[in-house]
Amino acid sequence: MKEIDMTARYPNHQITTRPVGAFHVRPGAFHRKSLPLVRGPRHNPETMNQSPNLRRVLLAVVFNTAIALGITTFGENGLVVNLVYSQCIGLCIWGLIDFGQYLFIANFQTQKQRLFWLVPLGAALGYLVGTTVAGALLSHSVYGYWMDQPSKALGFFLVSLSAGGVITYFFLSREQLAHAREEMARTQAQAEAAQRQAAESQLKLLQSQLEPHMLFNTLANMRALISHNPEQAQQMLDHLVAYLRATLGSSRTTLQPLQTEFARLRDYLELMAIRMGKRLNFTLDLPPELADVAVPALLLQPLVENAIRHGLEPKVEGGTITVQAHLDQHLLVLDVKDTGVGLPPEGSTPGFGLAQVRERLSTLYGPQGTIEFIADDAYHTWARVIFPVKQP
Amino acid sequence: MNPPSALIAEDEPLLADALRQELQRAWPELTIAATVGDGASAVRQALALQPQVLFLDIRMPGMSGLEAAAELMEVWPVAPGSPAFPALVFVTAYDQYAVQAFDAQAVDYLLKPVQADRLARTVKKLRLALENNAQHAPQTVASGTTETAALEATLAQLRGLLGGAGGPPQTPASTLTHIQASVGNTIHMLPVTEVVYFEAADKYMRVLTAQREYLIRTPLRELLPQLDARTFWQIHRSTVVNTAFIDCVTRDETGKLWLQLRGRPERLVVSRLFAYLFKAM
């Protein structure tokens, strides 16, 4: 820009600076239109419409003055003449681009390509109008200048145009960058919130399964077994390890063969059987042809844990848990029954484990995945889970 | 003095065995009078065998260890010459709130798995307590119905452990002004000030006024925090009385306290847990 300043007879250079003034403004303008919900006072609509406008005008005036001073120092003419040209051209260009933007670019993201004609047009028109106004004010003949040194005048005109374009591009990309950054921050915040929610749900699930009471009682049993029945202690430890590995390690989004699911249930029930002694009997009934049917990992676990915790543990004489699987056409039917104290009175809220089973069924199978409780005299709680068999 | 005896209430057989073995090592002269697997049996056997020490698992089927202790306190004989109430040791795998309350030390507690050195400390404490009891026994008998300070402390702690019943008044969610009791198709708006007492009965709460009786479904546990604690006192596991209707309190020959009411003919028994409420000024 400097070269222009030094040689210009007329302070065309403002063209280059004007967009600077205009585009300083822009940040606010873009945001108001495309990002209504972003943070900070900068985006407050009031501050945008009032003070930034005044600030923009002042900025433009300051720039124009600076250029006039530059031209006076290095070029021809007196300060007053340069100042008049500088302000006239600069303010015209600024006004045209700013106003044009306001008129034609309502949504920056979708309409930004309009800048490609708006900026050159604004610059060219502003330059012409500005020189004419300044010429009139100072009684100079603009026409005469163009006639005397046409190539020089045209050169300045073109250089001003391209400089305007470059500066526009500079501020544009800066804006884009800021915009992208904000967009990224927003997506990140959303992702973090979702992640936090998932982690909380996972934690809640773990807490419900790795209940300290269950763990410490199991460990206490193991400690008791070590001295007088090391072999059984070892078996119990193996079951605990398998149970912990399944509970801690399994991703609940995966499917696993039904026989693996039953093996995990057996681990848990074996542990509980050692603890509860003859108060707990259990039967796991898996027809061999269903062994490889894919089921959501640990789907039945909460139901079996409920049967123990709310069904059999509170019952003095204990009882029996039965887990069965059968096929009803294309539907897999899984039953968890116990002879415990029965369902809690109606109206009480279902536990987290049950809610989780429901949620997983509906996520995976929609309305085809159901859980229901069957009234039966022999079994006080009978939960039946039904969902379509997934063809491998 | 006879060799001390203990009762173990633990629903997991391996753990009951383990505790018995550990106790044999830590306290050879202690005999285990019985091992039971639930709270109700613990109360029954404790009454029958009258051991000096009770080891009570907190989580047991039917009645919890805490409930069993409170129940036992109700039915433990207090006539002169009857044996001292057993020392209580609660055993738990993990009950963080209870463990905090236990730290007040009126009753002891053990965490599962029970470790030898921790058990040794408990045994030491129990021995000391039993010796003190033996020394103070004549005095206790002489004073008849007076409970020892230690037992008073145990009672206070049990009240706290059993959910703050009778303990420091909880900040009420909101104080009830009316009881809404349905009779047939009508809902009666009964001012609480007219209620003489509430009594829990199976699935219902009986609400008794001077004239008649209503039934509501709100359990005592939910009702209690909504009542003004200055007016309504819990005097028994299943009874809350309006103090405005208490006429007088009498003690019978077995040491039980009975409330005579204004406007109702029946007398209400005060459980030992809440006897502390009634003292002459």
Side-chain angles (χ1 to χ4, degrees):
Chain A
M1 280 160 254
K2 213 172 180 186
E3 329 81 75
I4 305 171
D5 297 359
M6 292 201 288
T7 46
R9 168 164 142 62
Y10 296 108
N12 325 5
H13 351 79
Q14 280 99 318
I15 299 170
T16 55
T17 43
R18 206 50 44 258
V20 176
F23 282 96
H24 261 303
V25 174
R26 195 119 325 262
F30 301 156
H31 288 289
R32 175 186 46 182
K33 283 157 191 164
S34 55
L35 284 177
L37 34 103
V38 265
R39 65 204 131 82
R42 192 157 76 103
H43 306 287
N44 181 334
E46 248 115 327
T47 43
M48 284 230 313
N49 292 337
Q50 318 290 319
S51 58
N53 276 345
L54 184 66
R55 218 182 61 191
R56 282 182 247 166
V57 180
L58 283 176
L59 259 174
V61 171
V62 168
F63 263 111
N64 299 339
T65 310
I67 282 159
L69 285 172
I71 295 166
T72 313
T73 312
F74 299 103
E76 324 141 36
N77 297 331
L79 178 61
V80 176
V81 173
N82 282 337
L83 205 55
V84 170
Y85 271 101
S86 168
Q87 298 296 359
C88 287
I89 298 175
L91 288 174
C92 279
I93 292 175
W94 170 78
L96 283 168
I97 292 181
D98 210 49
F99 190 63
Q101 204 172 253
Y102 182 76
L103 277 186
F104 298 109
I105 303 182
N107 183 330
F108 181 73
Q109 281 311 311
T110 56
Q111 298 174 322
K112 59 188 169 196
Q113 68 283 0
R114 294 189 182 181
L115 282 174
F116 287 113
W117 55 261
L118 184 64
V119 171
L121 195 69
L125 265 176
Y127 175 79
L128 290 178
V129 175
T131 23
T132 311
V133 171
L137 281 176
L138 298 170
S139 320
H140 286 171
S141 163
V142 180
Y143 180 72
Y145 174 59
W146 277 91
M147 287 298 99
D148 290 351
Q149 309 173 42
S151 57
K152 200 176 169 187
L154 190 66
F156 281 134
F157 179 68
L158 290 176
V159 165
S160 306
L161 268 184
S162 54
V166 165
I167 287 176
T168 304
Y169 177 74
F170 170 70
F171 282 99
L172 200 71
S173 40
R174 215 172 65 154
E175 255 329 288
Q176 292 279 71
L177 203 67
H179 178 74
R181 236 182 261 136
E182 261 167 48
E183 194 70 337
M184 207 163 76
R186 208 160 42 156
T187 342
Q188 210 173 352
Q190 275 168 353
E192 271 167 19
Q195 213 170 10
R196 204 167 36 239
Q197 222 170 4
E200 266 166 28
S201 163
Q202 182 74 17
L203 187 69
K204 229 166 139 190
L205 188 70
L206 272 181
Q207 271 174 343
S208 76
Q209 290 186 323
L210 298 184
E211 196 219 0
H213 208 268
M214 183 262 177
L215 272 184
F216 285 116
N217 264 317
T218 305
L219 290 172
N221 270 276
M222 226 134 54
R223 186 179 189 280
L225 278 176
I226 284 170
S227 55
H228 71 268
N229 195 342
E231 206 172 307
Q232 210 189 354
Q234 225 161 39
Q235 280 171 15
M236 196 173 187
L237 187 58
D238 290 345
H239 289 306
L240 180 66
V241 167
Y243 174 75
L244 287 179
R245 207 184 291 287
T247 307
L248 293 170
S250 91
S251 140
R252 259 139 230 285
T253 51
T254 56
L255 298 175
Q256 68 180 12
L258 192 52
Q259 61 180 343
T260 312
E261 176 80 1
F262 268 61
R264 295 292 81 78
L265 295 180
R266 181 176 295 280
D267 284 321
Y268 176 71
L269 287 167
E270 291 282 4
L271 276 182
M272 291 310 295
I274 294 172
R275 285 182 46 196
M276 293 172 69
K278 53 183 184 299
R279 287 179 59 230
L280 172 64
N281 295 299
F282 68 87
T283 320
L284 292 170
D285 185 6
L286 175 64
E289 66 272 19
L290 293 180
D292 293 321
V293 173
V295 299
L298 299 189
L299 183 71
L300 296 184
Q301 190 81 24
L303 299 178
V304 173
E305 284 173 13
N306 275 352
I308 295 266
R309 204 174 298 162
H310 305 298
L312 299 184
E313 263 189 347
K315 197 172 180 180
V316 174
E317 60 273 32
T320 305
I321 288 186
T322 310
V323 185
Q324 289 166 318
H326 72 267
L327 212 51
D328 180 6
Q329 294 175 6
H330 69 292
L331 293 174
L332 184 64
V333 180
L334 300 170
D335 288 317
V336 179
K337 319 182 210 177
D338 69 75
T339 61
V341 294
L343 283 174
E346 47 184 305
S348 62
T349 49
F352 177 74
L354 187 57
Q356 206 242 348
V357 175
R358 275 217 175 92
E359 195 189 299
R360 290 182 69 196
L361 280 172
S362 87
T363 314
L364 286 165
Y365 303 104
Q368 281 192 293
T370 58
I371 177 167
E372 56 189 23
F373 286 89
I374 297 170
D376 186 88
D377 286 339
Y379 295 98
H380 296 126
T381 308
W382 180 347
R384 168 167 280 187
V385 174
I386 305 176
F387 54 88
V389 173
K390 287 228 163 152
Q391 296 305 330
Chain B
M1 190 179 143
N2 292 333
S5 68
L7 179 99
I8 295 175
E10 162 66 79
D11 61 325
E12 302 193 19
L14 281 173
L15 298 187
D17 272 0
L19 183 58
R20 181 210 293 270
Q21 283 169 18
E22 295 274 359
L23 274 171
Q24 259 162 20
R25 250 178 304 225
W27 195 353
E29 62 271 32
L30 182 80
T31 57
I32 307 297
T35 305
V36 296
D38 63 285
S41 307
V43 175
R44 254 194 329 271
Q45 292 285 19
L47 272 181
L49 304 168
Q50 304 193 327
Q52 279 82 46
V53 187
L54 283 182
F55 291 90
L56 294 170
D57 183 18
I58 289 188
R59 268 207 213 177
M60 284 189 291
M63 188 190 269
S64 80
L66 293 170
E67 287 164 345
E71 174 76 19
L72 188 62
M73 242 169 230
E74 295 306 323
V75 293
W76 194 261
V78 287
S82 43
F85 191 78
L88 297 176
V89 179
F90 289 105
V91 188
T92 181
Y94 186 86
D95 281 277
Q96 45 184 337
Y97 303 109
V99 165
Q100 275 167 17
F102 286 139
D103 280 337
Q105 295 288 317
V107 288
D108 204 0
Y109 72 97
L110 288 169
L111 282 178
K112 295 191 263 188
V114 177
Q115 277 153 26
D117 53 342
R118 180 66 183 78
L119 184 65
R121 263 199 315 224
T122 297
V123 165
K124 200 170 155 192
K125 210 149 92 180
L126 286 169
R127 281 184 146 144
L128 207 67
L130 292 190
E131 274 165 36
N132 280 347
N133 267 6
Q135 280 167 16
H136 293 302
Q139 193 189 337
T140 313
V141 172
S143 59
T145 54
T146 336
E147 278 148 353
T148 63
L151 190 53
E152 207 35 78
T154 308
L155 280 168
Q157 199 166 19
L158 268 182
R159 275 195 297 272
L161 289 169
L162 281 165
Q170 300 155 336
T171 44
S174 59
T175 307
L176 272 185
T177 53
H178 287 81
I179 299 291
Q180 285 158 270
S182 72
V183 179
N185 295 328
T186 322
I187 291 178
H188 288 254
M189 298 295 286
L190 180 63
V192 280
T193 49
E194 286 180 22
V195 176
V196 180
Y197 68 95
F198 297 93
E199 189 178 53
D202 242 0
K203 288 175 183 162
Y204 295 95
M205 279 290 289
R206 297 172 67 207
V207 183
L208 292 112
T209 67
Q211 286 78 38
R212 57 171 300 179
E213 172 179 339
Y214 301 86
L215 291 179
I216 56 172
R217 283 176 175 276
T218 318
L220 189 60
R221 189 168 11 93
E222 283 170 32
L223 190 65
L224 203 54
Q226 299 180 58
L227 295 171
D228 185 350
R230 287 166 303 181
T231 323
F232 285 92
W233 290 3
Q234 181 169 22
I235 55 158
H236 190 271
R237 190 168 33 142
S238 55
T239 323
V240 174
V241 69
N242 184 345
T243 50
F245 287 92
I246 299 176
D247 183 26
C248 62
V249 187
T250 48
R251 193 184 288 278
D252 71 7
E253 61 282 1
T254 67
K256 274 194 161 37
L257 291 178
W258 293 88
L259 296 189
Q260 193 80 51
L261 302 169
R262 273 188 274 270
R264 300 278 329 170
E266 62 270 26
R267 295 194 311 160
L268 301 179
V269 68
V270 180
S271 86
R272 286 179 119 195
L273 215 46
F274 300 106
Y276 77 108
L277 290 167
F278 303 97
K279 289 218 166 83
M281 292 171 94

